[in-house]
């Protein structure tokens, strides 16, 4: 079992390395498939031995092998998180998101793993560069819509649930658009507006409400901490996408229980 776990972890590290390429290039207007990786500063092509996931960063002491420019901690962290995500998925995630019967016993865990990778792209891209790539938003929407339509078509989900999920996405998009419009884009990004339909489709009712509520709460707490530490000043904004991702993950796992607990207190 250790050998399988190690293999899956290394496989996840490789995917994490690719996600780093996707994050950087899509936030800088470059295709993820536009050739080998280069140092952003000196533009030298990065050798394979300097591009080994997780290992090369520490081997090079976090600096480019050619110009010695600092390499962001984003790279090893994303690789490590992706590797851990794959391991978690191997031992826990597959059973959590599992439908009985073929092909769903294979398709559904795979679907949610891909969703997890895309949400990681959204989280890091928005936090680091203040931008949610359109490709990530589009991929999430296509996957979520296809997933919901497939479940409904195979009789694994009621049509009413599909309709409620679509309504959740539309209402959330209108709500976010209103925030973006009235703040003139200074207090709310348009990438969050584009992300809204996917979240509604993924979560449905009432988990969408739970996710958004948690996102605002987590965002407020982080903002207070950053201000207290002097990292931000009053009036400065922080990306909201990462908090939407955290709220979505919490709602996926605990959404129904949190919803029931809240109304149980009333």
């Amino acid at each position: 079992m250790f050998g399988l776990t190690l293999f899956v972890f290394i496989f996840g590290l490789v995917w994490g390395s690719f996600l780093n390429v996707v994050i950087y290039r899509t936030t800088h207007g470059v295709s993820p498939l536009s050739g080998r990786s280069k140092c952003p500063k000196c533009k030298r092509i990065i050798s394979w031995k300097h591009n080994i996931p997780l290992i090369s960063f520490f081997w090079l002491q976090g600096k480019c092998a050619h110009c010695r420019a600092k390499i962001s901690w984003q790279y090893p962290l994303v690789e490590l998180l992706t590797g851990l995500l794959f391991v978690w998925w191997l031992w826990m995630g597959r059973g959590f998101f599992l439908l009985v019967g073929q092909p769903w016993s294979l398709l559904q865990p795979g679907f949610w793993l891909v969703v997890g990778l895309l949400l990681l792209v959204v989280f890091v891209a928005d936090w680091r560069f203040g931008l949610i790539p359109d490709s990530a938003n589009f991929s999430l929407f296509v996957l979520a819509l296809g997933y919901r339509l497939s479940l409904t078509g195979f009789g694994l989900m009621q049509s009413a649930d599909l309709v409620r999920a679509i309504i959740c996405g539309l209402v959330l998009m209108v709500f976010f658009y209103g925030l973006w419009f009235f703040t003139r884009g200074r207090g709310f990004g348009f990438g969050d507006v584009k992300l809204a339909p996917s979240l509604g489709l993924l979560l449905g009712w009432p988990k969408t409400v739970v996710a958004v509520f948690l996102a605002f709460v987590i965002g407020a707490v982080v903002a207070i901490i950053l201000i207290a530490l002097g990292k931000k000043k009053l009036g400065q904004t922080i990306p909201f996408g990462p908090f939407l991702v955290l709220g979505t993950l919490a709602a996926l796992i605990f959404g129904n229980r949190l919803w029931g607990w809240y109304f149980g207190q009333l």
Side-chain angles (χ1 to χ4, degrees), residues 49 57 96 177 208 233 242:
K49 63 183 179 181
F57 178 85
F96 189 84
Y177 179 82
T208 302
K233 297 179 180 179

Short mmCIF file of all heavy atoms in Angstrom, two decimals, residues 49 57 96 177 208 233 242:
data_model
loop_
_atom_site.label_atom_id
_atom_site.label_comp_id
_atom_site.label_asym_id
_atom_site.label_seq_id
_atom_site.Cartn_x
_atom_site.Cartn_y
_atom_site.Cartn_z
N LYS A 49 16.29 18.94 -15.36
CA LYS A 49 16.83 18.65 -14.03
C LYS A 49 16.57 19.79 -13.05
O LYS A 49 16.72 19.61 -11.83
CB LYS A 49 18.33 18.36 -14.10
CG LYS A 49 19.17 19.52 -14.61
CD LYS A 49 20.63 19.10 -14.72
CE LYS A 49 21.49 20.25 -15.25
NZ LYS A 49 22.91 19.84 -15.40
N PHE A 57 13.15 22.92 -6.49
CA PHE A 57 13.03 24.19 -5.77
C PHE A 57 14.03 24.24 -4.62
O PHE A 57 14.72 25.25 -4.42
CB PHE A 57 11.61 24.38 -5.27
CG PHE A 57 11.40 25.64 -4.48
CD1 PHE A 57 11.13 26.85 -5.11
CD2 PHE A 57 11.48 25.64 -3.08
CE1 PHE A 57 10.94 28.02 -4.38
CE2 PHE A 57 11.30 26.79 -2.35
CZ PHE A 57 11.03 27.99 -3.01
N PHE A 96 -16.04 9.21 -0.69
CA PHE A 96 -16.97 10.29 -0.33
C PHE A 96 -17.85 10.67 -1.51
O PHE A 96 -19.05 10.88 -1.37
CB PHE A 96 -16.18 11.51 0.16
CG PHE A 96 -17.04 12.59 0.75
CD1 PHE A 96 -17.43 12.53 2.07
CD2 PHE A 96 -17.45 13.66 -0.02
CE1 PHE A 96 -18.24 13.52 2.62
CE2 PHE A 96 -18.24 14.66 0.50
CZ PHE A 96 -18.64 14.59 1.83
N TYR A 177 -22.84 40.12 -10.01
CA TYR A 177 -22.78 41.18 -11.01
C TYR A 177 -23.18 42.53 -10.38
O TYR A 177 -22.58 43.57 -10.69
CB TYR A 177 -23.70 40.87 -12.19
CG TYR A 177 -23.70 41.95 -13.24
CD1 TYR A 177 -22.69 42.00 -14.21
CD2 TYR A 177 -24.69 42.93 -13.27
CE1 TYR A 177 -22.67 43.01 -15.16
CE2 TYR A 177 -24.67 43.94 -14.23
CZ TYR A 177 -23.66 43.97 -15.17
OH TYR A 177 -23.65 44.98 -16.11
N THR A 208 -25.25 26.14 -2.08
CA THR A 208 -24.73 27.37 -2.66
C THR A 208 -24.78 28.51 -1.65
O THR A 208 -23.84 29.30 -1.52
CB THR A 208 -25.52 27.75 -3.93
OG1 THR A 208 -25.43 26.68 -4.88
CG2 THR A 208 -24.98 29.02 -4.55
N LYS A 233 -4.38 47.78 4.23
CA LYS A 233 -4.95 48.96 4.86
C LYS A 233 -6.45 48.99 4.61
O LYS A 233 -6.94 48.37 3.67
CB LYS A 233 -4.29 50.23 4.31
CG LYS A 233 -2.80 50.34 4.59
CD LYS A 233 -2.23 51.61 4.00
CE LYS A 233 -0.73 51.71 4.28
NZ LYS A 233 -0.15 52.94 3.68
N PRO A 242 -10.43 33.01 -3.78
CA PRO A 242 -9.97 31.98 -2.85
C PRO A 242 -10.97 31.66 -1.76
O PRO A 242 -11.11 30.50 -1.35
CB PRO A 242 -8.69 32.61 -2.25
CG PRO A 242 -8.20 33.52 -3.33
CD PRO A 242 -9.44 34.09 -3.96
#
